[in-house]
Amino acid sequence: MKTLRKLIYRDIFSAVGFVALAFLAMFFFFDLLDEMGNVGRNYGGVTYTIWMALLTVTLDIPNHLYELLPIAVLIGSIFVMARFAQSSEFTIMRTSGLGPWLALRTMLTIGACFVVLTVAVGDYIAPAAERMGLIVKAKYLGRVSTSGATGAWLKEKNDGDTLAVNVRTVRADGAITGIRIFNFDPQGRITWQIHAQNGHVEETDNLWNLEQVRITRFAYKDGSAKIEDAVEMAREQLPSYQWKTGITTAMLMAAVNKPDRMPTLELFQFIQHLEANDQSTQKYEIEFWRKVFYPLSCLVMVVLALPFAYLHFRSGGIAAYVFGGVMAGISFFMLNNVFGYAGNLQNWSPMLTAAAPGFIYSLLSLGAFTWLVLRR
């Protein structure tokens, strides 16, 4: 039995690796074509060369791998199981003692390995590579992260006051530009504001080192909340200023970019920050739970592939079954996206919204397995 498991492990791992490599090569080619338009550009006295383009595209590979792993697991597993069925190898395995539940357990073990790989790529390798890629683009192309015309907006509470923070552009190395900070008292009156041209986020000390700073302070008549009723306005120009805050670079990047590129832990911390400051978290909670359940889709894919080993293929009929299985896998990812959008619009429970597609397809996979294996 150990020999049979090794045979299944070897064939599935090699097939999934081949499928993933083919997909990554295709995405690498298209990304490189898109990046070639920047080759030869000059920014800050540095010419963007083909080698810099190759580096930028290479750093995008982990993100593509994270997105493609479940579908690669499905295609590779279906191909191996269907090939075993067509060549009658799986029939020989069954007569050698590979029962249905042992086969299911073997496939789940393989799926668990891919779950660990997906978590490692999505939470550690891909975010680190993306940060490096953003730094490369900022250095050689002057590209920075931005969010529309107004930049990133965040809110923070401080000793009863409310702070509204706006940053025009953010870079992965913590450099920020176009900083505006507004402080509101409990009555909703603006008491001071800070404008800074540039700055840098110091993660370890929870400090923002701001440059070219202008600070404006306001005082009001009793009971007045209008800016024109301020009885005193003090303005101060400073070459540099340190502002203490709990807003990190990861939070700024989350506000600027899509949250699906954040590590799970950083996304959770960002949600906690939003909740503490009475901001909407529905979209980010759905994305958090999707990141929790997304690696588990590898288990769904291997269970979906197992029934193909119990089908009886005629000569040349394997391609249609494999194509049908691939389409079923694609429909899973489409349903996952539909549930995400619908849950955000209808304010559904984030955890149930993220878990529903996987639960539905797990039931369908187990139902197909039960019908093909135990009933027939």
Side-chain angles (χ1 to χ4, degrees):
M1 197 56 59
K2 187 176 180 180
T3 302
L4 294 180
R5 287 199 298 269
K6 282 185 177 180
L7 174 64
I8 296 173
Y9 293 162
R10 184 194 65 198
D11 283 12
I12 289 182
F13 281 125
S14 60
V16 172
F18 179 79
V19 172
L21 187 62
F23 274 125
L24 290 176
M26 181 179 65
F27 277 93
F28 182 88
F29 176 73
F30 288 130
D31 288 346
L32 184 59
L33 286 180
D34 186 58
E35 201 67 27
M36 288 298 291
N38 296 315
V39 174
R41 285 181 54 186
N42 189 285
Y43 176 79
V46 179
T47 301
Y48 192 70
T49 65
I50 182 64
W51 299 109
M52 297 173 186
L54 286 170
L55 175 61
T56 300
V57 174
T58 301
L59 291 172
D60 284 336
I61 288 178
N63 273 319
H64 291 315
L65 179 60
Y66 174 72
E67 296 166 354
L68 293 169
L69 258 177
I71 194 69
V73 169
L74 175 66
I75 296 174
S77 301
I78 288 178
F79 174 76
V80 171
M81 292 294 103
R83 182 170 58 81
F84 280 163
Q86 187 185 39
S87 62
S88 300
E89 288 181 79
F90 200 78
T91 302
I92 298 173
M93 294 180 188
R94 291 169 63 188
T95 57
S96 301
L98 186 67
W101 299 115
L102 183 57
L104 180 62
R105 188 174 67 185
T106 301
M107 295 299 290
L108 289 176
T109 302
I110 296 173
C113 295
F114 286 113
V115 168
V116 174
L117 178 61
T118 305
V119 172
V121 173
D123 270 4
Y124 299 99
I125 301 175
E130 184 178 20
R131 287 191 179 96
M132 291 177 63
L134 290 173
I135 292 173
V136 169
K137 289 180 180 179
K139 181 178 180 181
Y140 296 115
L141 290 175
R143 293 184 187 174
V144 290
S145 299
T146 186
S147 179
T150 60
W153 283 93
L154 286 169
K155 189 167 69 172
E156 187 178 41
K157 291 185 176 179
N158 182 24
D159 297 330
D161 291 353
T162 301
L163 294 168
V165 182
N166 174 236
V167 177
R168 179 59 59 87
T169 58
V170 188
R171 286 193 354 201
D173 58 358
I176 51 180
T177 62
I179 305 108
R180 295 187 296 168
I181 306 167
F182 305 92
N183 187 87
F184 299 90
D185 64 14
Q187 287 75 40
R189 302 177 302 183
I190 183 170
T191 57
W192 55 261
Q193 64 183 24
I194 296 176
H195 287 209
Q197 294 294 324
N198 306 294
H200 195 277
V201 180
E202 298 291 343
E203 305 283 357
T204 55
D205 300 324
N206 291 331
L207 290 174
W208 286 16
N209 294 317
L210 307 179
E211 300 174 356
Q212 302 177 36
V213 181
R214 184 177 76 252
I215 303 176
T216 306
R217 304 182 188 276
F218 303 94
Y220 297 87
K221 297 177 182 179
D222 292 340
S224 175
K226 297 181 180 180
I227 187 67
E228 56 267 22
D229 292 336
V231 296
E232 180 183 349
M233 285 199 306
R235 292 186 177 91
E236 188 178 4
Q237 296 279 353
L238 298 173
S240 63
Y241 181 78
Q242 286 190 328
W243 180 57
K244 190 171 182 63
T245 177
I247 300 176
T248 63
T249 305
M251 293 178 184
L252 290 171
M253 295 296 290
V256 170
N257 297 322
K258 294 181 178 179
D260 58 352
R261 295 299 181 91
M262 290 182 66
T264 307
L265 180 59
E266 289 185 5
L267 186 55
F268 176 76
Q269 293 172 342
F270 183 63
I271 292 171
Q272 295 296 106
H273 172 81
L274 294 179
E275 288 179 342
N277 292 281
D278 300 324
Q279 292 180 270
S280 175
T281 62
Q282 177 74 8
K283 178 178 70 173
Y284 298 99
E285 285 190 71
I286 290 176
E287 193 57 49
F288 168 76
W289 287 110
R290 285 179 65 178
K291 288 186 71 69
V292 170
F293 289 114
Y294 184 76
L296 299 178
S297 60
C298 292
L299 295 176
V300 179
M301 297 299 106
V302 294
V303 174
L304 188 63
L306 182 56
F308 285 81
Y310 293 88
L311 295 175
H312 300 285
F313 297 100
R314 294 181 179 180
S315 178
I318 186 173
Y321 286 100
V322 173
F323 178 76
V326 171
M327 294 305 296
I330 293 175
S331 68
F332 167 78
F333 290 101
M334 291 179 62
L335 185 66
N336 199 26
N337 289 331
V338 168
F339 265 81
Y341 291 125
N344 194 27
L345 291 174
Q346 301 297 325
N347 204 29
W348 293 344
S349 168
M351 185 176 69
L352 293 179
T353 299
F359 181 73
I360 292 171
Y361 271 73
S362 295
L363 290 180
L364 292 175
S365 303
L366 291 174
F369 173 75
T370 303
W371 182 66
L372 286 171
V373 179
L374 303 181
R375 297 292 184 183
R376 295 183 60 181

